[in-house]
Amino acid sequence: MFEVLVVDDTRSVHAFVRSLLAKAADIQVTSAYNGKEAVELLKGGKKFDLIFLDWEMPELNGPDTFQEMKGLGCTIPIVMMTTKNSPADIQRMLEQGVAEYLMKPFTIDILFEKLSFASGRNFDYGK
């Protein structure tokens, strides 16, 4: 089973991503609704194969969440998932070590392309 953590403060984004990832039989999705919740899951020993991380969230935004995860020694591939499309923002996060950058809104093809690239694994999602 491939374990994915989706960190986003918008419930509709969780539902959308969960519905798309459900097209691949071997993906399990866990949801966190802010960065603090995600960091607590990692501190609690929960293991994931990939994290989709929103940029703009209350309590702890994406870049700060990413830094806290790195501070915990997290080596899980992290895909920033955001509407922020400034080249400087994208470059900064890629230089800091995010595996990939996913612009909202996105399609199933783009989601699985980013998932495959970041994880180094191909997923059959019935295309």
Side-chain angles (χ1 to χ4, degrees), residues 22-54:
K23 307 254 185 229
D26 62 342
I27 297 178
Q28 174 71 38
V29 179
T30 299
S31 293
Y33 295 95
N34 62 60
K36 287 178 87 171
E37 209 176 295
V39 169
E40 290 305 314
L41 285 170
L42 294 177
K43 282 181 179 177
K46 183 74 173 133
K47 303 291 184 203
F48 299 100
D49 298 299
L50 187 128
I51 299 171
F52 285 108
L53 178 61
D54 186 29

Side-chain angles (χ1 to χ4, degrees), residues 64-82:
D64 291 344
T65 300
F66 178 73
Q67 289 305 317
E68 286 213 20
M69 289 175 170
K70 280 179 57 175
L72 294 172
C74 178
T75 58
I76 301 165
I78 297 175
V79 177
M80 290 300 295
M81 183 174 61
T82 183

